[in-house]
Amino acid sequence: MSKIGQRGIHCLQRLNTAPFTSVSASLIEKGQNRVIDASLTLIRERAKLKGELVRLLGGSKASTSLLGVPLGHNSSFLQGPAFAPPRIREAIWCGSTNSSTEEGKELKDPRVLTDVGDVPVQEIRDCGVDDDRLMNVISESVKLVMEEEPLRPLVLGGDHSISYPVVRAVSEKLGGPVDILHLDAHPDIYDCFEGNKYSHASSFARIMEGGYARRLLQVGIRSINQEGREQGKRFGVEQYEMRTFSRDRQVLENLKLGEGVKGVYISIDVDCLDPAFAPGVSHIEPGGLSFRDVLNIIHNVQGDVVGADVVEFNPQRDTVDGMTAMVAAKLVRELAAKISK
């Protein structure tokens, strides 16, 4: 566990030593509840503000709203993805490019893109809240965004563990499963990696166990072992490995998803890309997708995209000029255009 991740535990340990031995467990729990309530109020009020603005402007059936989840402690290697959301936002609006997407949508139009800020993950953990409750807070935050129609969540990670509570929230809010397009170097479907059921390497096992997805398509896979393949067969996952990408390209650039379910969810781990395009990731896996490969898949997928996430960008491993931040920002921009209509 990182020094940052230990702060909340150390705080509780201090409460259990003199002169704080009189602090009861019930009092600590009340304090935790107040922090959680304040966190949800923050997201709720921001979502209301953005939703009212979009509705006032009119003409939008679906509008993308960014929600940051700066969580990195469920990473099995480096925890730098916790610092990604502000770096992605900075890159989106840095001024080095214009504010139009490739398909011509204007990001400065609130009907295309708004932002409700971050779930205050570290503050919640600092008061000793465990991951069961933290995952619930993330899910509730996503639901608060979705309550403000026509807002739809585009979540900035964070490590890939956040996809589980986000997809769970989207599915529960819409009242049924979704189809998931998952771009990644890894299948992230271990049953319980290193004893952590919320590991970033186990997020899609939790999603499939919960029945939150009908179809799961995994694209860009090039680091998979026997358990990953067995878990894929167990859950009926459609795994497209990079070693056969040239053969699969036509299928993947003409996907039709979401029919008969509540829509399509897109999850992009930045390490789906070859490290030549995105070096700022925790797990560098050569032999990945090109940036244009990813955009072609996103642009051409047919279906109602009801939510998405971009995860596993690690600013601590990025180049000095922020190359991977710009890559992640471009992914966000194009996803926002795909969601909004």
Side-chain angles (χ1 to χ4, degrees):
M1 182 181 294
S2 70
K3 292 181 179 178
I4 293 176
Q6 291 174 337
R7 291 192 317 201
I9 293 174
H10 290 167
C11 179
L12 287 182
Q13 289 174 341
R14 287 195 299 271
L15 289 176
N16 289 323
T17 58
F20 299 106
T21 52
S22 61
V23 178
S24 67
S26 62
L27 186 59
I28 292 175
E29 184 177 1
K30 286 180 181 178
Q32 291 172 344
N33 290 339
R34 291 180 64 181
V35 170
I36 289 172
D37 289 344
S39 301
L40 293 174
T41 298
L42 186 68
I43 301 300
R44 180 185 297 109
E45 295 307 313
R46 285 176 174 169
K48 283 183 179 180
L49 175 63
K50 305 301 183 178
E52 288 289 353
L53 174 60
V54 173
R55 290 189 293 270
L56 177 64
L57 293 172
S60 176
K61 295 181 179 179
S63 175
T64 305
S65 193
L66 300 182
L67 173 67
V69 183
L71 185 156
H73 65 275
N74 282 321
S75 174
S76 59
F77 182 39
L78 302 175
Q79 300 186 1
F83 303 104
R87 300 287 77 81
I88 296 173
R89 289 187 178 96
E90 181 182 13
I92 291 172
W93 303 113
C94 71
S96 72
T97 184
N98 61 53
S99 57
S100 292
T101 69
E102 289 197 1
E103 295 182 334
K105 292 187 178 178
E106 175 54 58
L107 294 176
K108 290 183 179 179
D109 184 341
R111 292 169 294 187
V112 177
L113 184 65
T114 57
D115 192 339
V116 299
D118 290 352
V119 177
V121 171
Q122 194 57 56
E123 289 81 354
I124 294 170
R125 295 190 73 228
D126 279 348
C127 66
V129 171
D130 63 21
D131 263 9
D132 288 332
R133 297 180 72 192
L134 177 58
M135 294 297 164
N136 289 337
V137 172
I138 295 170
S139 290
E140 288 304 311
S141 298
V142 172
K143 290 179 181 178
L144 290 172
V145 173
M146 296 178 70
E147 283 178 5
E148 296 298 324
E149 295 184 359
L151 301 187
R152 293 184 177 183
L154 174 45
V155 179
L156 309 179
D159 68 45
H160 222 149
S161 68
I162 71 165
S163 291
Y164 165 58
V166 175
V167 171
R168 177 177 66 181
V170 170
S171 175
E172 289 178 348
K173 189 66 178 174
L174 295 177
V178 294
D179 285 345
I180 299 177
L181 174 58
H182 168 206
L183 294 97
D184 202 326
H186 318 86
D188 291 351
I189 204 164
Y190 284 99
D191 179 59
C192 188
F193 191 69
E194 296 182 341
N196 180 8
K197 67 179 180 179
Y198 294 126
S199 169
H200 70 158
S202 299
S203 50
F204 287 91
R206 302 289 83 78
I207 288 169
M208 299 308 287
E209 285 173 351
Y212 302 120
R214 177 189 63 177
R215 292 178 67 188
L216 172 58
L217 287 75
Q218 298 185 319
V219 180
I221 304 299
R222 57 194 185 277
S223 179
I224 183 171
N225 60 14
Q226 183 177 351
E227 182 178 351
R229 291 192 172 92
E230 290 175 351
Q231 285 282 89
K233 291 178 181 178
R234 173 190 172 192
F235 293 118
V237 180
E238 300 162 60
Q239 293 176 331
Y240 293 90
E241 298 185 37
M242 281 307 301
R243 60 191 176 89
T244 61
F245 180 73
S246 59
R247 182 186 70 198
D248 299 329
R249 179 189 295 272
Q250 187 172 1
V251 173
L252 296 173
E253 290 184 355
N254 293 278
L255 293 172
K256 190 172 185 178
L257 302 173
E259 289 188 344
V261 290
K262 298 299 181 179
V264 181
Y265 185 92
I266 300 177
S267 179
I268 302 181
D269 185 321
V270 177
D271 72 23
C272 72
L273 292 158
D274 189 272
F277 300 93
V281 295
S282 297
H283 299 269
I284 294 173
E285 288 289 344
L289 296 161
S290 75
F291 191 80
R292 184 51 57 182
D293 291 334
V294 173
L295 286 193
N296 286 344
I297 292 170
I298 295 171
H299 286 162
N300 294 327
V301 65
Q302 299 178 54
D304 183 21
V305 181
V306 295
D309 63 57
V310 175
V311 299
E312 296 287 355
F313 162 46
N314 184 345
Q316 295 178 330
R317 302 196 87 182
D318 203 2
T319 58
V320 293
D321 57 355
M323 172 181 171
T324 314
M326 291 301 296
V327 167
K330 175 89 170 186
L331 292 172
V332 170
R333 291 160 62 100
E334 297 305 313
L335 282 171
K338 192 70 180 180
I339 294 169
S340 300
K341 55 188 178 182

